[in-house]
Amino acid sequence: MTIGESVGVAERPRTEGARRLAEAATPGTFVVLWSSAFIAGVIGLGAAPPLLLTLCRFALAGMLLAAVALVTRAPWPRGRALGHVVVAGLLLQAVQFGAFYTAMSLGVTGAVAALVQGLHPVLTALLAVPLLGERVSRRQAMGFALGAAGVVLAVAERISSVGGGVLLCVAGLLGLSFGTLYQKRFCPGMDLRSGQAVQLLASVPFIGVLTTTLEHPAVTAWGPFAGAVLWLALVNSIGAFTLLYLLLRRSQASRASSLFFLTPSVTALMAWALLGQPLSALTVAGLAVSGAGVALATRTVRPAPVAAARSAS
């Protein structure tokens, strides 16, 4: 063995270890980044109307990703693939965030919006059976039940503030769930640079028409508005969605979606730490129960050594 070969052999365990560490950290990182969108949304909505905030988020993130795709010469979707990418983007971006942020502007708290969104794993699991042919095991079903219970516990004391905005939250939930399944089925090999750029930029005219017809687009505080747009565009539209698409590629849609059970509790924790909103014992209990549900729903069951040995022989 030459010196170069020995160095290559030594580097393989390090590379493999780094890859496994990155994969293990991806779910937790995704939950934190995704939950932060509600906090940034609260700050941004104090400075501008919801659809204007959403429009600027999409435009900035879309242009940045388009520039990255052009510089790195990423392949762009064409023909039928382009149409599928656009449809998934309108559902995941325009419908979801346009509805959720409008609901929050009507008085729905970030925690309650996260509560409705936290039901995404149950809806996705139910829809994935007929649409994607996925199977839900008894263990996963128990995990979904625990996760849903944790979601309710996390924000049980704040449900009274929902009001009529709950219908918009449900619309956002449907956009997220149907968009996730559509992305999983029709856009599995989408380039994450060019594909996300197309999805975001396709949502810009849709939201633009709505904000000019339904709102009086004006910014009342440029500092908070600019900070919220930058965070939502860079951290959420680019960072969190990239992690979501990676998770969808690695596992079933229902399993990846189970992480959304954690977002209501994590959002409540962030609101307590950053916005001074009170943190109750029910929120802490909800975090624990949701975590147990996610662990149960996403745990990979390995075959017993005896069974593995028999199958190998």
Side-chain angles (χ1 to χ4, degrees):
M1 179 181 294
T2 64
I3 296 177
E5 291 175 341
S6 62
V7 172
V9 172
E11 288 295 330
R12 288 176 189 170
R14 297 180 183 178
T15 304
E16 182 67 18
R19 184 185 65 81
R20 291 182 179 179
L21 180 61
E23 290 182 356
T26 296
T29 304
F30 166 75
V31 171
V32 172
L33 296 186
W34 192 276
S35 299
S36 70
F38 292 101
I39 306 303
V42 170
I43 296 173
L45 291 174
L51 296 177
L52 177 61
L53 177 68
T54 307
L55 173 67
C56 294
R57 164 187 179 165
F58 291 166
L60 177 58
M63 288 187 293
L64 289 175
L65 281 170
V68 171
L70 290 172
V71 170
T72 58
R73 298 182 179 181
W76 291 81
R78 300 178 183 276
R80 183 177 295 181
L82 175 61
H84 287 317
V85 169
V86 170
V87 171
L90 290 175
L91 290 170
L92 285 167
Q93 302 287 349
V95 174
Q96 179 189 183
F97 293 108
F100 273 119
Y101 285 155
T102 301
M104 291 168 64
S105 71
L106 296 177
V108 176
T109 65
V112 172
L115 164 67
V116 178
Q117 191 185 77
L119 299 176
H120 166 57
V122 176
L123 181 58
T124 300
L126 294 176
L127 293 173
V129 174
L131 296 181
L132 298 182
E134 294 185 0
R135 296 181 179 179
V136 177
S137 65
R138 181 178 299 179
R139 173 178 52 80
Q140 284 181 299
M142 292 175 60
F144 293 151
L146 272 178
V151 164
V152 175
L153 279 176
V155 289
E157 297 175 336
R158 303 179 188 181
I159 294 179
S160 60
S161 66
V162 168
V166 68
L167 295 179
L168 283 170
C169 288
V170 171
L173 170 64
L174 292 174
L176 173 60
S177 295
F178 278 104
T180 297
L181 295 172
Y182 198 95
Q183 177 77 25
K184 176 72 174 179
R185 180 170 182 176
F186 296 107
C187 313
M190 181 190 81
D191 186 272
L192 296 181
R193 297 157 295 178
S194 60
Q196 288 188 88
V198 169
Q199 290 183 336
L200 289 162
L201 294 177
S203 300
V204 167
F206 180 83
I207 296 295
V209 170
L210 292 179
T211 189
T212 54
T213 56
L214 301 178
E215 296 179 339
H216 298 285
V219 178
T220 58
W222 281 100
F225 176 77
V229 168
L230 285 172
W231 185 272
L232 291 171
L234 299 177
V235 175
N236 297 107
S237 286
I238 296 178
F241 265 90
T242 298
L243 295 179
L244 174 62
Y245 291 155
L246 289 174
L247 289 167
L248 286 174
R249 289 181 180 181
R250 294 173 184 170
S251 61
Q252 290 182 330
S254 57
R255 179 171 294 182
S257 298
S258 67
L259 294 171
F260 282 86
F261 280 137
L262 295 175
T263 57
S265 297
V266 175
T267 299
L269 287 170
M270 287 183 172
W272 167 72
L274 300 175
L275 302 179
Q277 295 181 1
L279 181 63
S280 68
L282 281 178
T283 299
V284 177
L287 177 60
V289 174
S290 295
V294 171
L296 188 61
T298 59
R299 183 171 62 91
T300 301
V301 179
R302 297 181 179 179
V306 175
R310 290 177 179 174
S311 62
S313 60

